[in-house]
C-alpha cells in the first residue's frame, strides 16, 4: 500500500518543507504526518491511489498526526472460527494542549464487523502519544478479496488525521508451469523478466507483477497462482538481426488464458517477428523502448516498460490473438537518428556498431582511413606506430578502460577509434555524460575480427562517411491495441509525421543533451525512458515526430542550464520552429506547476528562473553560482522572503485580496553574457477555494521573439515582439482560452546602457492580436539590449519584467 497519490516531486517538496519545520523528526514521522493529513480520494482504493492527495498546508500547520498506513496482511481462506489479527495505531500530538479525538472506521465495501477498534475515543496529551488497536475479524472476510478501510480521527466534528488500512484473503491456487523457448525453439535459459496480470483481486502484488527469475530447471519455471483469467508475458534476450553473434530482445506473450486447473504455458520466440521502424531517410536507432499493458476491468493490471539496451540490435515480438476480456496494448517508442558514421571495407559494410562523436569529430563527407591495430590500446602499444590521421583498432579489455583508450588514441593524433568487443554485439562507447575526445565506434567480436584480419592481410583502407552533427532524426511512437499483429514493420511517410525545425542557440558551443519524452499514459506522469541523449549546444536539426502523442521536451547544456517545455501534441503534416537555449532567458511558468499555487491559507511560490526564448518553457540553472531571491507580499506588506527561488507564506485571509510575488535572479559566476540579472513582479488577486483545493496562481507570463544569430546577437533595427500568456496544463478551460483582447496595457521600455537610461517603445498589435510589436533603434556602439516589459489581463492580474542584457547586438 503506497502512502499518497501525489507525483514524486511534489511529495519530495512537501517533505522538505515539513523537515524544515521539524528538523528533529525522523523520516517515518515525516511520512506519517504527510499521509495522515492528506486529502482522502474516495473514488479510489488505498491500493490504487494511496492514502490520499498530499495537503502541504495541512501537513505543515497541523499539530496532530497518526500512523499513516496499517497493513493487516494477507490470510488463508477459509479462516479458523474467531481468527483475528491486530495492529496498533499511534496518535501524536506536538501541540501545547491535549486533544480529544473521536475515532471511526470507514469501510463501505467491507462486511459488517470486519474491522473494529479497541475504543472509539482517545485523548492525546500535549507533546505526547496515545494508541488504539485495530482488529480484523478474518472469518468475516470473503474468499480471495482485497479490502481497504480508513480510520478517521476527529475533534469537534473536524477530521484531523486518518489512517489507511489494508487487508486481504487468499484465493484458490493452481500450479502454473511456464516453459520458455528461444528463437530456435530450444529451451531458453538466458536472462528474462516474467510479467503477470489477472482479473483476480485477492492481492494486488500477486495479480500484477513482473519478476526477474531463475529457472527451476533449464527453460522451466513453476509458479503457484490464484485461479482466474490470466495474462502472461516474458522479455527474452535472443539472437539479433545480425546473426548468432548479435543480441536482440523479444516480447513473448499469452495475453489471455483461464487458470482453473494445473496448467502448462509455452512461451516460445520461434515465431517472433522483428518490430521495425522504416524511415523515409536513412536512420539508426539511438533509443528504443517498448511498453506492455494488460488491464482487466476493475481488477489487476500490468504496466511495464522495457528499455532495449543499445547493445542489442533489434526488437522482436510474437503475434497474438485478440483479447476478449479487458485491454491489451503494446507501444513502441523509437528515436532514430541520422547515422553519425558509416564504415565499410572492401565493399563490406559494418552496420552493427555503436558510435559516439568526439569533441572534434571527422568533417562531413567521405574519408579513406588506413586502419592500424594496436592491441589493448595502452600508451605502450603505440610505441613505433604512426597513427596520425588513421583509424586505430583496439580490443576491449579489462586492463585498459575505454576512456583511457580514447584519450590515448586522441593524443596520438588518430582520426577514429574502433573498439572490438570480446563478446557478442558492440559495447556502449561511453556514458552519455562523458566527453569523447575522438570519434568512437564499437563493433561486435565477429565483425571486429573480420576487420582486423582484412586490415592486417591486405592493408585495405576503411571507407568512412561522417556526419559530424545530427541533421535529422525521428521520434516515433507505434501503438498496437488488443493484439500483436503479424506485420510489425512501421513505414511512416514524411506526411504522416510532424516536422519540428530545431535550432540550438547557446551563447557558445558546448556539450549538450536533449530528448523528447512521450508521456504514457497521457497524463502528468513522465514516461519511463532514456536519459537525455548527446546533442548540440549550437546548430540546427530537423525532427520528424509522431502526431497525436503527448510529448514533453527537455534539453540541457551540461553544467549550465536545463530547459523543459510544456507538454504538446503535434499534427500530422504540420511544421513547427523551436529555438533552444537562446536569449531571452527569464522566469517562465510552464506546465502544471502546482508549486506556484494557493491552498487554503497558504501560498507557495517556486519560480524557475531561466526559461529560454521559446514560449512555454521553464528553465533551471545548473551553475551553483547563480543567485536568487523570492518575496511574497499581500498588498505592500511583506509576508515571506527567501534567498532562493522558493518561498511560502501561511496565515492568509480567505477573502480575495491583492498579492505580489517578486522574483530576482542574477547569474553570479555563470559565464553567459545574456540575462545577467532579472526582476519579475507579478501582481494578482487570490482567495481560498474549497478546503484542500490547490489553485494555480493567475500569473501573467511574457514571451519574447527577436531574431538572433547563434551567438545571441540581433540586428540593430530588428523586429521585437512581446506576447503575454498563461501557463498551459494547469488552468481551468475558460481561463486558459481568454481571447487576445483579454490581455491589456502592453508596455515596453528599452535600454542600451544596462538600464542607465530608458526609451519607451512604440508598440502595435501583432496581426494575430495576441501580442505587441516594435522595432529596435540601437545606437552605434551599443552592445546589449536591456528591457522592461509589462502586461495586464482583464481580471487585473499584471506582470512587469526587467531583464538586463537580454540579448546582444551585431
Amino acid at each position: 500500500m503506497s502512502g499518497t497519490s501525489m507525483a514524486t516531486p511534489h511529495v519530495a517538496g512537501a517533505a522538505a518543507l515539513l523537515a524544515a519545520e521539524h528538523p528533529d523528526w525522523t523520516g517515518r514521522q515525516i511520512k506519517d504526518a504527510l499521509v495522515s493529513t492528506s486529502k482522502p480520494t474516495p473514488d479510489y482504493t488505498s491500493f490504487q491511489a494511496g492514502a490520499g492527495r498530499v495537503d502541504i498546508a495541512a501537513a505543515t500547520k497541523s499539530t496532530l498526526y497518526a500512523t499513516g498506513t496499517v497493513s493487516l496482511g494477507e490470510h488463508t481462506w477459509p479462516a479458523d472460527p474467531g481468527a483475528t489479527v491486530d495492529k496498533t495505531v499511534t496518535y501524536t500530538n506536538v501541540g501545547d494542549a491535549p486533544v480529544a479525538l473521536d475515532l471511526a472506521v470507514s469501510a463501505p465495501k467491507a462486511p459488517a464487523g470486519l474491522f473494529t477498534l479497541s475504543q472509539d475515543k482517545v485523548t492525546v496529551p500535549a507533546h505526547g502519544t496515545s494508541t488504539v488497536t485495530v482488529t480484523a475479524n478474518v472469518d468475516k472476510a470473503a474468499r480471495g478479496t482485497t479490502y481497504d478501510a480508513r480510520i478517521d480521527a476527529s475533534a469537534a466534528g473536524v477530521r484531523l488525521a486518518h489512517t489507511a488500512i489494508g487487508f486481504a484473503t487468499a484465493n484458490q491456487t493452481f500450479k502454473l508451469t511456464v516453459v520458455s523457448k528461444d528463437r530456435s525453439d530450444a529451451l531458453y535459459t538466458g536472462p528474462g523478466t516474467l510479467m503477470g496480470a489477472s482479473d483476480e483481486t485477492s492481492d494486488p502484488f500477486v495479480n500484477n507483477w513482473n519478476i526477474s527469475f531463475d529457472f527451476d530447471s533449464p527453460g522451466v519455471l513453476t509458479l503457484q497462482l490464484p485461479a482466474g483469467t490470466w495474462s502472461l508475458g516474458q522479455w527474452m534476450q535472443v539472437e539479433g538481426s545480425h546473426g548468432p553473434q548479435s543480441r536482440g530482445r523479444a516480447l513473448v506473450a499469452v495475453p489471455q488464458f483461464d487458470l482453473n486447473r494445473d496448467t502448462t504455458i509455452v512461451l516460445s520466440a520461434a515465431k517472433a517477428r522483428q518490430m521495425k521502424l522504416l524511415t523515409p531517410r536513412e536512420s539508426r536507432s539511438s533509443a528504443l523502448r517498448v511498453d506492455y499493458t494488460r488491464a482487466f476491468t476493475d481488477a489487476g493490471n500490468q504496466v511495464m516498460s522495457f528499455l532495449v539496451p543499445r547493445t542489442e540490435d533489434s526488437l522482436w515480438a510474437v503475434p497474438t490473438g485478440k483479447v476478449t476480456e479487458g485491454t491489451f496494448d503494446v507501444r513502441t517508442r523509437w528515436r532514430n537518428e541520422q547515422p553519425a558514421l558509416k564504415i565499410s571495407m572492401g565493399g563490406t559494410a559494418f552496420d552493427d556498431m555503436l558510435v559516439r562523436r568526439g569533441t572534434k569529430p571527422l568533417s562531413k563527407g567521405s574519408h579513406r582511413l588506413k586502419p592500424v591495430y594496436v592491441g589493448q590500446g595502452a600508451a605502450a602499444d603505440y610505441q613505433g606506430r604512426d597513427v596520425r590521421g588513421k583509424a586505430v583498432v583496439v580490443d576491449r579489455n579489462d586492463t585498459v578502460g575505454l576512456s583511457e583508450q580514447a584519450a590515448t588514441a586522441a593524443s596520438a593524433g588518430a582520426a577514429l577509434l574502433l573498439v572490438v568487443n570480446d563478446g557478442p554485439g558492440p559495447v556502449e562507447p561511453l556514458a552519455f555524460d562523458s566527453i569523447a575526445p575522438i570519434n568512437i565506434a564499437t563493433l561486435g567480436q565477429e565483425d571486429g575480427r573480420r576487420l582486423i584480419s582484412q586490415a592486417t592481410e591486405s592493408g585495405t583502407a576503411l571507407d568512412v562517411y561522417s556526419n559530424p552533427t545530427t541533421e535529422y532524426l525521428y521520434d516515433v511512437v507505434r501503438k498496437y491495441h488488443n493484439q500483436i499483429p503479424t506485420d510489425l514493420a512501421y513505414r511512416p511517410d514524411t506526411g504522416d509525421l510532424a516536422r519540428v525545425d530545431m535550432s540550438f542557440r547557446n551563447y557558445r558551443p558546448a556539450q549538450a543533451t536533449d530528448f523528447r519524452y512521450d508521456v504514457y499514459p497521457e497524463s502528468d506522469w513522465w514516461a519511463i525512458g532514456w536519459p537525455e541523449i548527446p546533442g548540440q549546444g549550437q546548430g540546427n536539426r530537423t525532427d520528424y515526430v509522431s502526431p497525436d502523442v503527448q510529448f514533453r521536451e527537455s534539453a540541457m547544456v551540461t553544467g549550465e542550464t536545463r530547459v523543459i517545455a510544456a507538454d504538446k501534441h503535434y499534427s500530422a503534416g504540420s511544421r513547427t520552429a523551436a529555438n533552444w537555449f537562446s536569449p531571452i532567458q527569464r522566469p517562465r511558468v510552464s506546465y502544471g506547476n502546482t508549486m506556484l499555487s494557493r491552498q487554503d491559507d497558504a501560498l507557495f511560490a517556486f519560480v524557475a528562473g531561466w526559461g529560454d526564448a521559446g514560449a512555454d518553457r521553464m528553465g533551471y540553472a545548473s551553475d551553483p553560482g547563480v543567485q536568487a531571491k523570492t518575496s511574497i507580499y499581500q498588498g505592500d506588506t511583506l509576508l515571506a522572503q527567501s534567498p532562493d527561488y522558493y518561498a511560502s507564506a501561511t496565515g492568509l485571509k480567505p477573502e480575495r485580496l491583492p498579492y505580489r510575488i517578486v522574483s530576482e535572479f542574477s547569474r553570479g559566476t555563470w559565464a553567459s553574457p545574456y540575462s545577467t540579472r532579472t526582476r519579475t513582479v507579478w501582481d494578482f488577486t487570490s482567495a481560498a477555494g474549497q478546503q484542500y483545493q490547490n489553485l494555480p496562481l493567475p500569473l501573467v507570463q511574457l514571451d519574447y521573439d527577436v531574431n538572433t544569430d547563434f551567438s545571441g546577437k540581433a540586428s540593430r533595427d530588428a523586429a521585437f515582439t512581446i506576447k503575454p500568456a498563461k501557463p498551459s496544463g494547469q488552468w481551468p478551460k475558460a481561463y486558459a482560452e481568454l481571447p487576445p483582447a483579454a490581455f491589456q496595457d502592453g508596455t515596453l521600455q528599452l535600454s542600451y546602457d544596462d538600464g542607465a537610461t530608458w526609451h519607451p517603445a512604440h508598440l502595435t498589435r501583432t496581426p494575430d492580436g495576441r501580442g505587441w510589436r516594435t522595432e529596435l533603434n540601437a545606437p552605434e556602439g551599443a552592445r546589449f539590449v536591456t528591457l522592461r516589459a509589462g502586461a495586464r489581463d482583464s481580471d487585473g492580474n499584471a506582470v512587469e519584467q526587467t531583464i538586463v542584457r537580454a540579448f546582444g547586438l551585431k
Side-chain angles (χ1 to χ4, degrees), residues 25-44:
W25 279 13
T26 65
R28 177 76 256 181
Q29 288 173 302
I30 291 173
K31 179 179 179 180
D32 279 342
L34 288 173
V35 173
S36 66
T37 60
S38 63
K39 183 180 180 181
T41 50
D43 292 338
Y44 302 94

Side-chain angles (χ1 to χ4, degrees), residues 610-754:
W610 303 100
D612 61 17
D616 227 3
R617 293 209 290 259
M618 299 174 69
Y620 301 85
S622 304
D623 193 304
V626 167
Q627 301 166 1
K629 184 170 72 172
T630 306
S631 307
I632 301 175
Y633 295 83
Q634 193 281 295
D636 294 324
T637 302
L638 180 65
L639 301 180
Q641 191 171 76
S642 169
D644 207 338
Y645 52 83
Y646 177 81
S648 62
T650 58
L652 277 59
K653 296 180 180 179
E655 61 266 26
R656 183 168 299 279
L657 293 170
Y659 291 90
R660 177 180 301 141
I661 293 175
V662 181
S663 174
E664 299 171 271
F665 285 90
S666 172
R667 285 196 183 270
T669 58
W670 185 359
S672 174
Y674 304 122
S675 296
T676 54
R677 295 195 315 276
T678 67
R679 186 175 191 270
T680 305
V681 180
W682 283 291
D683 286 293
F684 60 98
T685 59
S686 175
Q690 299 177 3
Q691 189 177 20
Y692 307 123
Q693 184 181 16
N694 193 281
L695 297 171
L697 303 179
L699 306 185
V700 178
Q701 306 298 302
L702 290 176
D703 293 328
Y704 305 93
D705 185 22
V706 61
N707 186 25
T708 63
D709 59 19
F710 283 116
S711 66
K713 296 180 180 180
S715 300
R716 295 178 179 273
D717 59 353
F720 184 85
T721 301
I722 62 172
K723 182 182 291 186
K726 293 289 176 63
S728 64
Q730 65 172 331
W731 301 94
K733 182 176 181 181
Y735 200 56
E737 296 178 353
L738 282 171
F743 289 110
Q744 306 163 348
D745 304 329
T747 63
L748 177 65
Q749 299 178 71
L750 301 174
S751 174
Y752 303 104
D753 52 12
D754 297 347

Side-chain angles (χ1 to χ4, degrees), residues 183 238-248 274 276 284-285 310-316 348-354 424-426 443-447 450:
R183 286 184 58 205
V238 297
E239 178 183 313
S241 61
H242 289 82
Q245 291 300 310
S246 65
R247 292 290 179 264
Q274 187 175 352
K276 296 180 180 180
R284 291 178 183 164
S285 175
R310 284 176 13 112
T311 54
E312 296 178 356
D313 66 11
S314 50
L315 175 63
W316 306 75
T348 301
F350 299 94
D351 56 357
D352 185 17
M353 63 181 184
L354 295 177
L443 298 90
Q445 186 177 41
E446 186 174 19
D447 281 352
R450 187 167 70 251

Side-chain angles (χ1 to χ4, degrees), residues 119-403:
Q119 51 189 326
D120 59 7
K121 295 181 183 294
V122 66
T123 297
V124 189
H127 301 287
T129 62
S130 294
T131 63
V132 298
T133 300
V134 57
T135 298
N137 299 290
V138 184
D139 59 351
K140 295 183 180 297
R143 172 181 68 88
T145 306
T146 299
Y147 298 98
D148 77 318
R150 190 179 71 244
I151 304 173
D152 289 323
S154 304
V158 177
R159 183 173 58 225
L160 301 182
H162 62 269
T163 301
I165 304 170
F167 172 79
T169 56
N171 201 341
Q172 183 180 13
T173 64
F174 294 102
K175 183 172 73 173
L176 176 65
T177 302
V178 181
V179 180
S180 296
K181 295 186 177 183
D182 61 21
R183 286 184 58 205
S184 65
D185 210 32
L187 287 173
Y188 173 78
T189 58
T193 301
L194 195 66
M195 307 165 293
S198 172
D199 64 347
E200 282 300 319
T201 59
S202 61
D203 187 323
F205 300 108
V206 169
N207 61 25
N208 176 12
W209 44 260
N210 63 82
I211 56 172
S212 297
F213 59 88
D214 295 319
F215 291 105
D216 301 319
S217 60
V220 179
L221 184 68
T222 303
L223 303 168
Q224 196 75 24
L225 297 177
T229 301
W230 277 85
S231 168
L232 201 64
Q234 184 177 345
W235 301 108
M236 297 183 187
Q237 188 181 77
V238 297
E239 178 183 313
S241 61
H242 289 82
Q245 291 300 310
S246 65
R247 292 290 179 264
R249 188 67 52 165
L251 168 61
V252 185
V254 178
Q256 183 173 311
F257 66 94
D258 292 325
L259 185 62
N260 50 24
R261 65 176 72 89
D262 290 347
T263 302
T264 296
I265 292 290
V266 177
L267 296 174
S268 174
K271 295 183 179 180
R273 295 173 178 249
Q274 187 175 352
M275 307 180 88
K276 296 180 180 180
L277 173 64
L278 304 175
T279 55
R281 303 171 72 179
E282 183 181 14
S283 66
R284 291 178 183 164
S285 175
S286 58
L288 172 57
R289 189 190 83 243
V290 58
D291 303 321
Y292 172 103
T293 301
R294 183 64 169 104
F296 290 91
T297 305
D298 297 323
N301 66 84
Q302 171 67 52
V303 180
M304 185 179 180
S305 293
F306 191 89
L307 305 178
V308 179
R310 284 176 13 112
T311 54
E312 296 178 356
D313 66 11
S314 50
L315 175 63
W316 306 75
V318 175
T320 69
K322 288 187 176 182
V323 302
T324 58
E325 294 186 33
T327 59
F328 173 54
D329 294 285
V330 172
R331 167 171 166 147
T332 53
R333 167 68 170 95
W334 309 80
R335 169 164 281 203
N336 278 23
E337 298 187 3
Q338 176 190 30
L341 290 176
K342 292 189 286 185
I343 299 176
S344 63
M345 175 183 282
T348 301
F350 299 94
D351 56 357
D352 185 17
M353 63 181 184
L354 295 177
V355 177
R356 178 70 182 274
R357 294 186 181 93
T359 53
K360 294 183 179 180
L362 288 170
S363 60
K364 185 173 180 62
S366 298
H367 303 263
R368 286 185 63 81
L369 302 179
K370 180 179 179 180
V372 181
Y373 175 58
V374 297
Q376 290 188 334
D381 296 322
Y382 287 81
Q383 294 297 322
R385 313 296 295 273
D386 178 16
V387 301
R388 187 164 299 277
K390 300 175 182 178
V392 169
V393 185
V394 301
D395 293 318
R396 194 220 72 81
N397 61 90
D398 295 328
T399 303
V400 186
L402 205 154
S403 294

